[in-house]
Amino acid sequence: MLIHRYIYILAIIITTLTSTQGVAQDFSRLPQVVRLDSNMLRFPGGVSENFDALVERIDSVLLFGRGRINIMHIGGSHVQADMYTHYIRQNLDSLNGCLHPARGFIFPYAIARTNNPLNYRVKYGGTWFSARNAIRQFYPTQGASGINVRTADTTAWFDIDLNTDSTQRYYTTHLRIFGRSIDGRTKPYMLLPDSTIVEASESDSATYLFNLSETTSRFGIRFHFTYDTAQNLSPDTFVITGMYADNDEPGIVYNSIGVNGASVPSFLNCANFERDLGYYPPDLVVFGIGINDATSSHFSDSLLYNNYLHLIDRIQKVAPKAAFIFITNNDSFMRIRRKYYVNKNGEVARTAFYRLASHYKGAVWDLFEIMGGLNSMQEWQKVHLARRDKVHFTRDGYLYVGRLFTDAFLNFYYDYDCTYGY
């Protein structure tokens, strides 16, 4: 049985990697400083039993088409853009085969007038306001997404298309809106492409759940506003902190939660973080927060380490069996008086991630080392894989990062029983 598992899974992984589309298929474009021999998951403190359970659940999906794996990747602007995280999502989704698992967590970033991922489309109208955790905007109270939009405009609306390509891969039959009415006088409803109106079948103080009789990849959200000018009641404010596009299919669901400029304290300041996370507890959390923490001259590895301890404590309250992967900061530069200087805090932060992985018996994916270490971002920029700010990657650069992580994760998964397992 074990040999059959290896043969079958190896065939799936080879098919996945050889069918990869786009620039990331060819590593020859990467700068010479890149260390492909370091592209692996490392376990400095040993392997947590939670990884054992994770691998068994992935086996169940791949070998028997049963079960659901919920992965959450959380970070800052690298994750909000959803370029390399969507690349990972697509490659893991290809392992699902004929299964069509949920798209998972999404947020209408376009309404907040910030960059929306290109893989789903948002259109909207009316007057909206927004707040995000990265700039200490705590009203209304933030949820797990770290960002919200709100409106009291009776003409406000928005539409979502889960697919922006011809695959039509993602659809929903159960849509949960994370949101609330400030005064309790406003309710959202779904508007389907054929003009069918769907009311929420369940609601509580934090969410509205819409159950559909048929699948859809496109839907709109409208609002029932209640107001009475005779009683001097103005329209109520409705706040949205995210959506979860779910269905009943088994498979691997890759959720990304990112906010431009967010640090670990940014998410610690989200009062409803674990409440929202509790609706869909993750089996695996991929941490990509730290690049913004490391911009301060007072930064230390102990500070990052202790902040992460608090964040993980909150996650474990709702997901005690989650496995953890820590992604080190990429090499980056800081701009001071119009000149760029390498940010040596990248090496300092790297120490904290190894300490965290050791403490939780989790994995480290050492992006800092893989991309070439200190000053390597400059080499990535020379081959047009990094932007001029020497912090962010170009689209092609993000695709390479996604491909590298996918390779490392799949190699870990394939080798688990003989190398990492119990």
Side-chain angles (χ1 to χ4, degrees):
M1 176 63 187
L2 188 60
I3 295 176
H4 290 164
R5 173 190 182 270
Y6 285 150
I7 293 174
Y8 180 73
I9 292 173
L10 179 60
I12 293 175
I13 291 174
I14 291 174
T15 301
T16 299
L17 297 181
T18 56
S19 64
T20 299
Q21 299 297 316
V23 64
Q25 191 172 13
D26 182 8
F27 282 149
S28 64
R29 187 178 163 190
L30 290 173
Q32 292 184 355
V33 295
V34 169
R35 295 191 57 184
L36 292 177
D37 59 325
S38 296
N39 188 33
M40 66 186 75
L41 297 188
R42 295 172 175 171
F43 292 84
V47 185
S48 164
E49 292 181 358
N50 293 347
F51 274 98
D52 201 36
L54 176 68
V55 169
E56 287 183 3
R57 297 187 69 176
I58 297 177
D59 278 353
S60 180
V61 169
L62 268 58
L63 300 176
F64 308 109
R66 295 198 298 262
R68 168 75 67 86
I69 297 100
N70 210 26
I71 302 175
M72 180 182 75
H73 190 139
I74 183 170
S77 54
H78 291 319
V79 179
Q80 180 179 324
D82 200 30
M83 291 184 185
Y84 89 91
T85 44
H86 188 58
Y87 185 97
I88 299 167
R89 179 184 299 113
Q90 287 180 307
N91 278 276
L92 294 184
D93 188 44
S94 66
L95 301 179
N96 291 309
C98 60
L99 303 176
H100 283 71
R103 174 59 174 79
F105 190 88
I106 58 174
F107 185 85
Y109 292 98
I111 300 178
R113 299 175 185 84
T114 185
N115 56 307
N116 200 88
L118 299 176
N119 52 78
Y120 61 90
R121 185 175 293 110
V122 178
K123 295 182 179 180
Y124 69 97
T127 301
W128 295 82
F129 299 92
S130 64
R132 57 191 175 101
N133 60 8
I135 52 177
R136 300 183 66 82
Q137 293 175 302
F138 305 139
Y139 175 83
T141 307
Q142 300 284 8
S145 68
I147 186 171
N148 65 55
V149 290
R150 63 190 186 276
T151 186
D153 185 350
T154 57
T155 68
W157 60 273
F158 66 91
D159 293 335
I160 301 284
D161 187 342
L162 295 176
N163 303 287
T164 55
D165 57 28
S166 59
T167 63
Q168 296 299 300
R169 179 69 177 173
Y170 300 107
Y171 67 83
T172 183
T173 52
H174 311 293
L175 179 75
R176 186 180 297 275
I177 293 180
F178 292 88
R180 65 193 184 281
S181 170
I182 297 297
D183 295 330
R185 293 183 288 110
T186 302
K187 294 182 179 180
Y189 64 91
M190 285 186 73
L191 184 65
L192 301 182
D194 63 358
S195 299
T196 298
I197 292 176
V198 180
E199 304 288 352
S201 56
E202 298 178 24
S203 63
D204 52 34
S205 60
T207 71
Y208 294 80
L209 179 63
F210 299 87
N211 292 311
L212 307 179
S213 58
E214 296 183 1
T215 65
T216 186
S217 61
R218 295 184 295 121
F219 56 87
I221 300 297
R222 308 292 186 267
F223 301 94
H224 296 301
F225 285 96
T226 302
Y227 61 100
D228 189 337
T229 55
Q231 298 183 37
N232 198 31
L233 293 176
S234 60
D236 184 20
T237 297
F238 194 86
V239 184
I240 294 176
T241 59
M243 293 175 285
Y244 198 97
D246 202 1
N247 60 39
D248 296 319
E249 287 266 355
I252 303 172
V253 180
Y254 202 89
N255 305 281
S256 58
I257 294 176
V259 180
N260 291 344
S263 61
V264 179
S266 301
F267 286 100
L268 289 175
N269 289 324
C270 297
N272 294 326
F273 182 86
E274 56 262 55
R275 183 198 68 183
D276 288 0
L277 204 63
Y279 285 92
Y280 305 95
D283 302 293
L284 170 66
V285 182
V286 181
F287 293 104
I289 323 173
I291 191 74
N292 296 302
D293 300 72
T295 57
S296 171
S297 59
H298 303 291
F299 173 77
S300 69
D301 62 314
S302 296
L303 179 62
L304 181 63
Y305 178 83
N306 289 327
N307 283 336
Y308 254 109
L309 292 182
H310 292 303
L311 181 62
I312 293 173
D313 179 63
R314 295 177 66 176
I315 292 173
Q316 288 184 322
K317 288 179 181 178
V318 296
K321 296 184 178 181
F324 301 135
I325 297 176
F326 300 92
I327 299 179
T328 65
N329 289 1
N330 58 277
D331 181 53
S332 64
F333 284 63
M334 294 187 293
R335 188 180 184 185
I336 303 174
R337 297 187 183 92
R338 299 184 179 182
K339 291 186 178 181
Y340 289 96
Y341 300 88
V342 66
N343 186 357
K344 295 183 179 180
N345 284 340
E347 286 185 312
V348 179
R350 183 170 175 261
T351 303
F353 288 115
Y354 274 87
R355 289 177 61 197
L356 288 163
S358 180
H359 179 77
Y360 291 103
K361 292 188 176 181
V364 172
W365 186 59
D366 197 341
L367 178 58
F368 186 85
E369 179 179 316
I370 294 165
M371 67 184 295
L374 205 63
N375 287 304
S376 59
M377 196 56 152
Q378 195 162 243
E379 300 303 311
W380 283 61
Q381 186 189 14
K382 289 178 182 178
V383 293
H384 308 292
L385 297 178
R387 296 182 183 175
R388 292 179 61 185
D389 64 6
K390 297 180 175 64
V391 174
H392 298 92
F393 298 92
T394 61
R395 176 186 175 277
D396 289 354
Y398 278 119
L399 292 181
Y400 276 116
V401 173
R403 170 65 191 273
L404 289 165
F405 180 88
T406 302
D407 284 2
F409 182 79
L410 292 182
N411 286 331
F412 150 77
Y413 169 64
Y414 176 69
D415 291 337
Y416 186 79
D417 283 315
C418 60
T419 305
Y420 304 96
Y422 295 91

